[in-house]
Amino acid sequence: MAPLTFTLKAEPPERLDLSGLVPGALAPLTAKEIEAIVLGGGRRPIRVGDVFALRRGDAGAIVFAGGSERLDNVGAGLSGGSLRVDGAVGARLGVGMIEGTIDVVGSAGPWAGAGMAGGRITIAGDAGERAGGALPGRMAGMRGGVLAIGGTAGARAGDRMRRGLLVARALGPEAGSRMIAGTIVAASAGPLPGRLMRRGSLILGTVDGALLPTFLDCGAHDLPVLSLLAAWLGRLALPFRPNVGTAVRRLQGDTAALGKGEILLAG
Amino acid sequence: MPQLSLNGIAIDDGFAEAFDMAATGVVITADTAAWARQAAVSMTGFATSVIACGCEAGIDAELSPKETPDGRPGVRVLLFAFNAELCETQLVTRVGQCVLTCAGTACFAGLPTGTPIKLGAKLRYFGDGHQIAKVVDGKRYWRVPVMDGEFVVEHEVNVVDGAVGGGNLLFMGRSRGAARAAAEAAVKAMRKVPGIIMPFPGGIVRSGSKVGSKYKGQMASTNDAYCPTLKGAVDSALTGDVASVLEIVIDGLGFAPIQEAMRVGLNAACALGPESGLVGVGAGNYGGKLGRHHFHLKDLL
């Protein structure tokens, strides 16, 4: 069965909240009911039918043909099924998702995968700041699942991350800030990775910029556990697959916080 | 009754009697195959019989780097005990003393399904607060800092019920050398069968036992019916030309792998022919009342 397809008619006039357009919510609805869902607009509501041309199909597999950085909350709270966006998305992609897959062919705005608990998000392009991070006021960022970014993630990727895997080609400044646990892998990272991290692993090819003085150099090592991770990365469908070897330099920190985290730099 | 035989060697029309057991398995890897094997040999050393060792354990298969979780050479160890709790106690003690301590090793779950028991979950405390948990592909591993680097151990491993312990073959020879040669040939062939272990030294046991004893408190004692030095003095099961008997005990993950191992072993030993000094092959049982699983030798021919 063909997927349920939303074709974007034109650039939306304002930011829209797409959190209602997920497989679980749409499955029982008729085409007319779906077209009547309000996406924003305040006193002059903007409905699905105003922005998208709808093609009926399997609601377990949703496709957005055409994207825009004004489409917020795409796949929010997703609890199963698949969702693909042939274009860009706005803020909070897949926020709090539990299960299922989201594939974005373009780039994503801030807080992509924030607080996600499971499933897999792939973003072929770049992601905004705090990908996999914590929404304002939340105690934890992503707590499970896989968030994969083919391009560059903005500042503070994995902020307050608690569990799960974040993979990116490049990370902005202060990746893994306030991290509680989990694993972040990238070919390169901006300055000051791991700021105030408690536990968790940042596995990085290079760091472009300064390292924090509160990380303690534990020397060069050959760690078999990294071959488990490399094998897993090999099995995942990723827009970018970092080359993880077992030879690393280990820095433990951040000793300004609990100090049980680590930065593993490719040796 | 027509006498069963294979390649000129008499086969008893009897059966081996075996019991239900619980089993667990671990994959041990190391920087070299020799060190992985060393850890496994140490861990399974004093694990010949549940009677006094608490479990029966052995190496089931050697694994190439492509077959192990961390891409290093390894072995799979199977461990059998009466129930899951005993499996856990024995496994944690043995991995803690013999694998954690062995240079360069890591330890992973060896059975894909079953009831989980704790392994790394208990051994992690050796890390004294420096241990690190890492979830990879849904499985939780512990990285325990040790003097040669890190000991990586899986959080939990699986126990399966429905394992079988006590399959066996008895090799009757004209001399000690003849019985040993037959048993060695059988062990060599049976090591290639997956899903089974032969827990005794070199896979062979020379002190087969019977249930009970004339002495109070002695649960098992020598199987006098198969002791060649007594064959004129007791109600012996041995014919006049038998001077030595050796046994192979087999534990397996199910009925089928044990039966296959017994078939392979029987054929390999009998292939030596009567000129090797092998007189007959039999199997041990307790009259069929104690164990649920019966392996009839006539089914293996």
Side-chain angles (χ1 to χ4, degrees), chain A residues 163-164 182-183 200-201 221-225 227-229 231-232 235 250 252 260 262 264, chain B residues 31 69-72 104 106 108 129-132 134-138 141 143 149-150 152:
Chain A
R163 211 177 290 125
T183 306
S201 305
H221 300 284
D222 175 58
L223 300 181
V225 72
S227 50
L228 296 174
L229 182 66
W232 184 29
R235 291 192 294 272
R250 184 170 189 275
Q252 185 168 327
K260 290 192 172 186
E262 63 184 355
L264 302 177
Chain B
D31 293 327
D70 66 357
R72 301 191 297 167
F108 307 100
H130 300 290
Q131 70 273 24
I132 297 171
K134 200 90 276 189
V135 177
V136 177
D137 204 2
Y141 302 91
R143 297 161 55 194
E150 277 182 351
V152 177

Side-chain angles (χ1 to χ4, degrees), chain B residues 212-273:
Chain B
S213 159
K214 68 180 279 192
Y215 300 108
K216 214 162 62 172
Q218 181 84 20
M219 283 159 52
S221 61
T222 194
N223 195 357
D224 41 42
Y226 284 87
C227 291
T229 55
L230 302 176
K231 67 186 170 192
V234 300
D235 185 10
S236 184
L238 304 177
T239 53
D241 48 356
V242 175
S244 180
V245 181
L246 287 174
E247 182 178 358
I248 296 177
V249 172
I250 309 135
D251 298 333
L253 293 175
F255 185 90
I258 294 182
Q259 192 176 42
E260 172 62 10
M262 286 175 65
R263 192 187 63 75
V264 166
L266 184 68
N267 280 287
C270 291
L272 298 177

Side-chain angles (χ1 to χ4, degrees), chain A residues 73-101:
Chain A
N73 295 322
V74 172
L78 187 71
S79 58
S82 74
L83 209 146
R84 195 181 86 223
V85 185
D86 294 333
V89 295
R92 299 183 296 277
L93 168 75
V95 64
M97 74 180 277
I98 297 159
E99 222 182 290
T101 60

Side-chain angles (χ1 to χ4, degrees), chain A residues 109-219:
Chain A
W111 289 293
M116 69 186 284
R120 177 175 58 81
I121 298 178
T122 62
I123 300 164
D126 298 334
E129 63 180 51
R130 301 189 198 222
L135 290 174
R138 291 293 173 89
M139 293 297 286
M142 69 184 283
R143 55 200 164 90
V146 177
L147 173 59
I149 298 157
T152 303
R156 290 196 164 200
D159 180 51
R160 288 199 170 188
M161 176 173 176
R162 178 149 200 197
R163 211 177 290 125
L165 173 69
L166 195 163
V167 189
R169 184 185 301 272
L171 299 166
E174 299 188 24
S177 58
R178 306 187 292 177
M179 207 168 156
I180 302 161
T183 306
I184 298 179
V185 188
S188 70
L192 310 180
R195 177 167 232 163
L196 294 176
M197 77 189 287
R198 294 168 59 78
R199 295 188 188 83
S201 305
L202 284 165
I203 300 158
L204 307 173
T206 57
V207 174
D208 306 322
L211 289 166
L212 286 157
T214 42
F215 274 79
L216 310 176
D217 192 347
C218 297

Side-chain angles (χ1 to χ4, degrees), chain B residues 16-21 56 78 80 162-169 190 193-199 248-266 293-297 300:
Chain B
E17 185 175 352
F19 307 88
D20 289 311
M21 293 188 99
E56 299 178 5
L78 295 180
F80 297 78
V164 178
N168 64 76
L169 288 170
M190 292 161 79
V193 178
I196 63 117
I197 59 155
M198 293 168 280
I248 296 177
V249 172
I250 309 135
D251 298 333
L253 293 175
F255 185 90
I258 294 182
Q259 192 176 42
E260 172 62 10
M262 286 175 65
R263 192 187 63 75
V264 166
L266 184 68
H293 305 283
H294 299 167
F295 298 91
H296 289 270
L297 294 186
L300 306 176

Side-chain angles (χ1 to χ4, degrees), chain B residues 133-168:
Chain B
K134 200 90 276 189
V135 177
V136 177
D137 204 2
K139 290 180 181 165
R140 193 175 205 206
Y141 302 91
W142 286 97
R143 297 161 55 194
V144 181
V146 285
M147 294 199 307
D148 79 342
E150 277 182 351
F151 174 55
V152 177
V153 56
E154 200 159 333
H155 183 73
E156 53 190 26
V157 302
N158 292 313
V159 173
V160 289
D161 292 322
V164 178
N168 64 76

